[in-house]
Amino acid sequence: MKYISFTDEPGIAPDEFFMREAFKEAEKALEFDEVPIGAVIVHNGRIIGRGHNLTEQLNDVTAHAEMQAFTAAANYTGGKYLKDCTLYVTIEPCVMCAGASYWTQISKIVFAAHDEKRGFTRIKQRIIHPRTELTSGIMADKAAQLMKEFFLAKRNKS
Amino acid sequence: MKYISFTDEPGIAPDEFFMREAFKEAEKALEFDEVPIGAVIVHNGRIIGRGHNLTEQLNDVTAHAEMQAFTAAANYTGGKYLKDCTLYVTIEPCVMCAGASYWTQISKIVFAAHDEKRGFTRIKQRIIHPRTELTSGIMADKAAQLMKEFFLAKRNKS
């Protein structure tokens, strides 16, 4: 794995820089006809975990981008928690992934587009960790467009 | 893996029979000083997936008993969903595991003891699948006692 650092490309804002990396993961999912969602986990300006949706390839409905990225980051750090880390993900996490983020105690979640059907913010009670900050909307149009095109192509194929 | 069938021991109620199997998984976790939680997934009176908490051994806070059991059952069936299956688990699932159960579309969840702190039923909105039935309380005292003894022993060690 290449550990891409923010300082490699100082001309853009950090959030956009890392969200672009999450989109690279989403594109990997797309290549395998998976729902195109990607995620990266960043610590001190460096990507320490990457993941993309693998539900079809692994025949496992729990193999979401965020779950892969959490596990990859924990493998990298060797510690249990992802304190002082930020998750960048192209679509709002579902309840499962938000629940997983609770256990990681991750410091921040940044997602691009909302998922109105299955996104965790539909749940009125807080399910992410009390210390987890939340930001959304960065590159939201691109994320929404990617999903729209994917499902449109799926429908046209079937 | 030995596929234990309910008909192997017809003298007890099915729910208790399979919950005992979930306890066998919890005991495997305990042997490795993991929080003692176990789960099995049953289809047509037969266990098709087993799991126990592996968070310490895998250094992965998402490696809950239910997640292991879902993945094992999906590997066994080769299908994506766990329709017509029942999850037996010794402690009430957390939000992550309940969220995962949504994606599996599992038919029924049976848990032993409530988890007042992290159990998913604290969340007032329904997060499990609309078609998932829920039962609790089977062997609840045994499950609660197992957890109590585990955390007491932990405190005395540290």
Side-chain angles (χ1 to χ4, degrees):
Chain A
M1 183 165 104
K2 192 188 159 201
Y3 294 102
I4 293 171
S5 166
F6 172 57
T7 52
D8 293 350
E9 199 178 336
I12 62 166
D15 278 352
E16 190 176 333
F17 177 84
F18 291 117
M19 192 59 86
R20 281 191 201 175
E21 293 296 319
F23 274 101
K24 287 184 191 168
E25 289 297 313
E27 280 151 24
K28 287 182 200 169
L30 192 61
E31 275 170 37
F32 289 92
D33 210 27
E34 299 271 5
V35 177
I37 301 176
V40 297
I41 289 169
V42 174
H43 175 71
N44 280 346
R46 213 166 98 143
I47 294 173
I48 61 162
R50 314 181 70 103
H52 55 270
N53 184 29
L54 285 169
T55 53
E56 298 293 333
Q57 284 166 88
L58 297 183
N59 183 46
D60 185 344
V61 292
T62 71
H64 287 192
E66 301 93 318
M67 301 301 279
Q68 309 299 314
F70 289 145
T71 300
N75 281 343
Y76 176 76
T77 65
K80 273 165 88 171
Y81 303 113
L82 300 174
K83 292 172 186 176
D84 305 316
C85 291
T86 300
L87 166 70
Y88 291 86
V89 56
T90 57
I91 296 289
E92 180 184 354
C94 72
V95 168
M96 171 183 72
C97 293
S101 82
Y102 175 91
W103 295 115
T104 68
Q105 300 187 23
I106 200 158
S107 299
K108 195 173 174 184
I109 296 175
V110 181
F111 68 80
H114 270 281
D115 178 350
E116 281 172 26
K117 275 192 187 161
R118 307 294 342 142
F120 81 94
T121 61
R122 290 174 309 114
I123 307 298
K124 298 301 165 226
Q125 281 164 274
R126 186 178 177 93
I127 59 178
I128 59 175
H129 197 277
R131 284 192 295 271
T132 304
E133 266 184 74
L134 187 61
T135 302
S136 63
I138 290 148
M139 302 177 77
D141 290 348
K142 181 180 160 89
Q145 188 64 24
L146 189 61
M147 293 291 268
K148 200 177 152 187
E149 281 169 12
F150 175 78
F151 286 111
L152 199 65
K154 273 270 178 218
R155 268 199 296 278
N156 291 343
K157 255 186 248 176
S158 62
Chain B
M1 184 164 103
K2 193 188 158 201
Y3 293 102
I4 293 170
S5 166
F6 172 56
T7 53
D8 294 348
E9 198 179 337
I12 61 166
D15 278 353
E16 189 175 331
F17 177 83
F18 291 117
M19 193 59 87
R20 281 191 201 176
E21 292 298 318
F23 274 102
K24 287 182 190 169
E25 288 298 312
E27 281 151 23
K28 287 181 199 168
L30 193 60
E31 276 170 37
F32 289 92
D33 210 27
E34 298 271 4
V35 177
I37 301 177
V40 297
I41 289 168
V42 174
H43 175 71
N44 280 345
R46 215 166 97 144
I47 293 172
I48 62 161
R50 315 182 69 104
H52 55 271
N53 182 31
L54 286 168
T55 51
E56 297 293 333
Q57 284 166 88
L58 297 183
N59 185 46
D60 185 344
V61 291
T62 71
H64 287 192
E66 301 94 317
M67 302 299 280
Q68 309 298 314
F70 289 144
T71 300
N75 281 343
Y76 176 76
T77 66
K80 272 165 89 171
Y81 303 113
L82 300 175
K83 292 172 186 177
D84 305 317
C85 292
T86 300
L87 166 71
Y88 290 86
V89 57
T90 56
I91 296 289
E92 180 184 353
C94 71
V95 168
M96 171 184 72
C97 293
S101 83
Y102 175 92
W103 294 115
T104 69
Q105 301 188 20
I106 200 158
S107 300
K108 195 174 174 181
I109 296 174
V110 181
F111 68 80
H114 271 280
D115 178 351
E116 282 171 27
K117 275 192 188 161
R118 306 294 342 143
F120 81 94
T121 62
R122 291 174 307 113
I123 307 298
K124 298 300 167 228
Q125 281 163 274
R126 186 179 178 93
I127 59 177
I128 60 175
H129 197 276
R131 284 192 295 272
T132 304
E133 267 184 74
L134 187 61
T135 302
S136 63
I138 290 149
M139 302 177 77
D141 290 348
K142 182 181 160 87
Q145 188 64 24
L146 189 61
M147 292 290 269
K148 198 176 152 186
E149 282 170 11
F150 174 78
F151 286 110
L152 199 65
K154 274 269 179 217
R155 267 199 298 276
N156 291 342
K157 253 187 250 174
S158 62

